[in-house]
Amino acid sequence: MTSITRDQIATFLYEEAYLLDKWRLPEWLQLFTDDAEYQVPSMDLPADATPDNALFYVADDRTRLGERVKRLMKRAAHAEFPHSSTRHLVNNIRFRQESDEDLDVEAAFATYRMKDGITDLYLGTNLYKLKIVDGSFKIRRKRCMLDGQALRPAGRISIIL
Amino acid sequence: MKPETPGAQLPLIVDRDRFMFKVARNNFVDPEIFRREKTEIFERNWLYLGHASELKKPGDFLTRVVAGRSILFTRSSEEQLHALLNTCPHRGMQVCRERSGNAKSFQCFYHGWVFAQDGKLRSQPGEESYCEGFKSRDSSNMTHVPRFESYRGFCFVCFDKDVQPLETYLAGAKDHLDVICDQSETLSILPGTHEYSIRANWKLLTENSIDGYHATTTHATYFDILMRSNGGEAFSSGMGGGYALGNGHAVITSTSPRYGRPIAKWIPAWGEEGRVEIDRLYNDLVARFGEERANRIARQGRNLFIYPNLIINDIMAVVVRTYYPVAEDFVSVSAWALAPEQETSWSRKYRLNNFLEFLGPGGFATPDDAEALEHCQRGFANHRDVPYSDISKGMNKESPSNSDEIQMRAFWMQWHKQMYPEAAAEIGDKVI
């Protein structure tokens, strides 16, 4: 199987962060497969929790993820209009290539959200299930595991992590 | 001539004849009011601690901060629930520093004292240096909260030992709580807690949680999404009323909301598998309660407020939410999903899906609510020159609707009564 390098993964993750920080969300959405999932579990759940029987903060299938993006591009998404400035920092990349098609990636993230004179920080680990497609990647699942015990003082997840 | 002092002269202005109801914005920003609320509001009223279902087995425990105090909530081997003040009788350390777990006893690590699940002192290192009979003294044990009562699984504490019994306190809210609890005989809190915050005064969240008026504007994007997933049917919160329930409690109802309800109202997006499941659930309710009550339980939504700070919204899912002031302009919020323990996997999945679309800080509604409240709080910096908020909508109506404001008036009248009893006596108790 063709070996994927950390550099290739980093390039992809940096591109994802770039699209998010530029609020180019419809293009960001194109990075996902048709059966994709975007999840942010609640902070008191075990690592193997599923949104089918536990309460997450976010558990989007591809349809709802599309709705999330559509919403964030509207004036009427009041929490994000005018939208926040964000800075998605990603590092500490670890990965395991399962096959020619499947890749598991873990990366630490520090995402800053700035608005109305306030800066909030979200810290955690992103767990990606990536599909290797045509020499690049598509995201089959992105699960953001937030560090800490509470979403305070940030208080909301109105941006995309 | 001395200039008039700017700002609100009174915390509340009520004139029923002129349909006037004004709330001083100073109430949301004044450090002295914030300080007094700690005792007048949060030491005198029943406060929600947790649900009996959160402690399933003997030995299960959790710690939770209620009105700034850590409470150790346990289920003993004898199946008794205990709400203990989490402070060592020796020299005060918080005995249990874990969020939750299962334990036969609790050891305070500082000097090694060990307590049973009911707070009784079991052992102390250096016992021989304490006088005889020390262990059997009440003051050697962890202290229970002054009052602890539960109603249909909802467990409350009060720091005032003379508070009226919980069921009396619940007044007209009890009936609505019954409707919610009748949904299923096995209602439980699901795993996964929403712990978040809003940079606004806690009373703004009370107002927002039982407000129907803001739905179509603040939540326009949510209803867009609902419309698309519902095959183009335009949103309607349906007919419904706003009601004052006594003791500061209030509710808004909606009689034919367009969202689906896990128990038990079908929407096309749920498909045939969903229709079969929803019909089964509905028929169960009819068998237990008859058609009329089954319809009320299954097909109507309600946002129930139990004074001073408990919200139970039974809408497209059931959320239980409490919130406490941390500062004049910061509130700490905790929310849980309530669902039948015995629920099919289809129902559980669709319920949670419904929940997350709207409710919670990652959904399509709460962040916009938070944005509104935070900007109200910022607007209140002008409170000396714009001293009052107007909360008079629907005052001139026999039967206020769910987009009127009688719910907020019910809350404010009770708040005013507890904070300013003399001024409140002049206004009287009638909420219109």
Side-chain angles (χ1 to χ4, degrees):
Chain A
M1 87 186 157
T2 10
S3 276
I4 299 294
T5 64
R6 191 189 310 277
D7 196 56
Q8 284 173 292
I9 297 169
T11 303
F12 179 73
L13 295 182
Y14 294 158
E15 182 66 19
E16 189 204 357
Y18 173 80
L19 291 174
L20 288 173
D21 289 337
K22 288 285 184 204
W23 216 264
R24 282 159 62 170
L25 303 180
E27 288 167 75
W28 172 82
L29 189 60
Q30 297 309 307
L31 300 176
F32 284 77
T33 63
D34 289 339
D35 61 344
E37 293 170 305
Y38 165 58
Q39 298 172 345
V40 184
S42 299
M43 287 137 116
D44 57 348
L45 290 173
D48 60 353
T50 156
D52 288 351
N53 58 32
L55 183 67
F56 278 39
Y57 283 120
V58 174
D60 291 353
D61 60 12
R62 174 61 180 79
T63 305
R64 182 142 76 201
L65 187 56
E67 295 289 358
R68 187 177 291 275
V69 165
K70 230 184 253 155
R71 185 187 114 84
L72 286 173
M73 302 306 290
K74 288 183 184 173
R75 292 177 69 99
H78 310 292
E80 290 300 332
F81 187 85
H83 64 75
S84 306
S85 292
T86 63
R87 181 62 60 192
H88 290 72
L89 298 173
V90 60
N91 217 322
N92 302 17
I93 297 167
R94 300 167 68 233
F95 64 100
R96 186 174 61 235
Q97 188 170 352
E98 299 289 338
S99 68
D100 274 334
E101 282 156 15
D102 293 297
L103 184 62
D104 280 348
V105 172
E106 249 185 61
F109 71 86
T111 294
Y112 290 84
R113 173 184 177 261
M114 292 144 283
K115 193 169 175 207
D116 292 330
I118 290 178
T119 301
D120 281 320
L121 172 61
Y122 303 86
L123 280 174
T125 305
N126 281 340
L127 303 178
Y128 292 89
K129 287 203 171 297
L130 299 181
K131 287 292 206 197
I132 304 165
V133 176
D134 294 334
S136 182
F137 305 110
K138 284 246 182 215
I139 305 170
R140 162 65 187 75
R141 194 178 84 174
K142 180 179 181 183
R143 182 181 276 207
C144 307
M145 312 289 291
L146 287 163
D147 288 338
Q149 295 191 330
L151 206 57
R152 300 183 189 124
R156 61 174 87 162
I157 309 177
S158 50
I159 56 166
I160 294 190
L161 281 180
Chain B
M1 210 168 63
K2 213 168 146 195
E4 248 190 60
T5 323
Q9 302 306 303
L10 295 169
L12 206 68
I13 298 178
V14 182
D15 184 335
R16 294 179 187 83
D17 297 326
R18 288 163 68 205
F19 307 119
M20 186 185 287
F21 197 100
K22 296 203 185 283
V23 172
R25 292 175 180 184
N26 184 56
N27 299 346
F28 298 99
V29 302
D30 188 340
E32 181 59 15
I33 288 180
F34 173 78
R35 190 190 64 78
R36 285 188 59 231
E37 280 174 342
K38 286 191 172 84
T39 42
E40 303 309 328
I41 309 294
F42 292 99
E43 300 239 326
R44 294 170 56 178
N45 294 297
W46 284 103
L47 303 174
Y48 177 70
L49 168 62
H51 197 268
S53 65
E54 295 187 81
L55 303 175
K56 289 193 164 47
K57 304 185 310 292
D60 278 355
F61 70 86
L62 62 86
T63 55
R64 188 159 286 163
V65 177
V66 169
R69 310 207 207 180
S70 176
I71 309 289
L72 172 57
F73 189 29
T74 71
R75 182 184 290 277
S76 70
S77 318
E78 296 80 36
E79 293 280 8
Q80 291 285 3
L81 292 176
H82 295 274
L84 299 164
L85 299 171
N86 192 12
T87 177
C88 187
H90 177 219
R91 280 157 54 187
M93 199 185 94
Q94 295 197 164
V95 172
C96 180
R97 295 167 306 117
E98 292 171 82
R99 279 182 74 142
S100 65
N102 184 288
K104 290 204 169 64
S105 62
F106 301 95
Q107 181 179 55
C108 180
F109 83 70
Y110 195 12
H111 305 90
W113 288 29
V114 177
F115 302 93
Q117 294 151 343
D118 63 356
K120 283 212 171 62
L121 176 63
R122 280 256 201 82
S123 67
Q124 319 149 264
E127 256 181 66
E128 64 281 1
S129 304
Y130 283 92
C131 65
E132 199 167 320
F134 181 86
K135 252 168 85 176
S136 53
R137 289 184 199 162
D138 222 23
S139 57
S140 301
N141 303 325
M142 289 177 74
T143 306
H144 282 80
V145 297
R147 292 285 294 279
F148 172 80
E149 284 176 30
S150 72
Y151 184 73
R152 300 194 70 173
F154 287 82
C155 302
F156 292 77
V157 299
C158 185
F159 300 113
D160 177 358
K161 64 171 175 43
D162 298 320
V163 72
Q164 62 186 306
L166 177 63
E167 271 190 57
T168 324
Y169 176 88
L170 287 175
K174 193 157 90 94
D175 171 51
H176 297 275
L177 192 49
D178 280 336
V179 171
I180 295 169
C181 292
D182 281 347
Q183 280 180 29
S184 159
E185 290 170 306
T186 64
L187 280 182
S188 301
I189 298 286
L190 297 186
T193 311
H194 285 177
E195 302 271 16
Y196 58 108
S197 54
I198 304 176
R199 291 180 169 102
N201 186 272
W202 71 280
K203 301 187 288 296
L204 284 173
L205 186 54
T206 292
E207 293 181 346
N208 173 260
S209 302
I210 43 177
D211 182 321
Y213 190 14
H214 76 291
T216 46
T217 44
T218 304
H219 300 314
T221 56
Y222 167 69
F223 296 128
D224 280 347
I225 292 166
L226 199 62
M227 192 171 86
R228 270 195 291 280
S229 66
N230 223 6
E233 250 193 282
F235 168 74
S236 158
S237 63
M239 306 298 288
Y243 306 92
L245 302 173
N247 287 346
H249 314 312
V251 72
I252 50 171
T253 61
S254 53
T255 49
S256 55
R258 290 284 192 235
Y259 44 73
R261 286 170 57 75
I263 301 175
K265 186 183 160 297
W266 183 80
I267 48 169
W270 289 353
E272 275 316 300
E273 190 186 353
R275 194 204 285 273
V276 167
E277 174 71 7
I278 295 296
D279 281 349
R280 183 184 68 79
L281 288 165
Y282 188 75
N283 293 335
D284 275 351
L285 288 174
V286 172
R288 281 169 66 205
F289 299 109
E291 180 74 46
E292 198 187 324
R293 190 167 176 82
N295 184 67
R296 186 176 172 204
I297 292 168
R299 295 188 179 139
Q300 295 176 16
R302 55 203 57 83
N303 293 34
L304 178 62
F305 169 65
I306 294 174
Y307 182 93
N309 69 334
L310 170 62
I311 289 286
I312 304 170
N313 284 351
D314 170 24
I315 39 186
M316 70 291 293
V318 184
V319 61
V320 179
R321 177 191 305 155
T322 60
Y323 41 98
Y324 288 96
V326 172
E328 299 85 10
D329 59 358
F330 197 91
V331 58
S332 177
V333 191
S334 302
W336 300 269
L338 191 65
E341 175 107 46
Q342 284 136 34
E343 188 169 43
T344 64
S345 53
W346 183 93
S347 274
R348 175 63 55 88
K349 184 178 151 131
Y350 276 80
R351 164 191 298 282
L352 288 170
N353 194 55
N354 246 21
F355 188 113
L356 286 190
E357 200 162 58
F358 187 78
L359 297 160
F364 298 141
T366 297
D368 289 343
D369 287 318
E371 184 77 6
L373 302 188
E374 290 179 353
H375 283 273
C376 286
Q377 194 71 30
R378 286 171 185 250
F380 293 159
N382 295 296
H383 76 96
R384 281 191 226 292
D385 297 300
V386 192
Y388 289 102
S389 287
D390 184 299
I391 307 195
S392 67
K393 191 164 189 277
M395 233 170 143
N396 57 348
K397 288 156 85 166
E398 264 301 314
S399 310
S401 79
N402 57 19
S403 63
D404 288 319
E405 292 170 336
I406 193 172
Q407 316 80 269
M408 293 71 162
R409 295 193 284 273
F411 164 74
W412 282 109
M413 296 277 283
Q414 186 70 6
W415 179 89
H416 189 233
K417 189 169 164 181
Q418 295 195 315
M419 292 286 285
Y420 301 93
E422 281 165 24
E426 283 180 35
I427 293 175
D429 274 344
K430 184 159 177 243
V431 180
I432 67 159

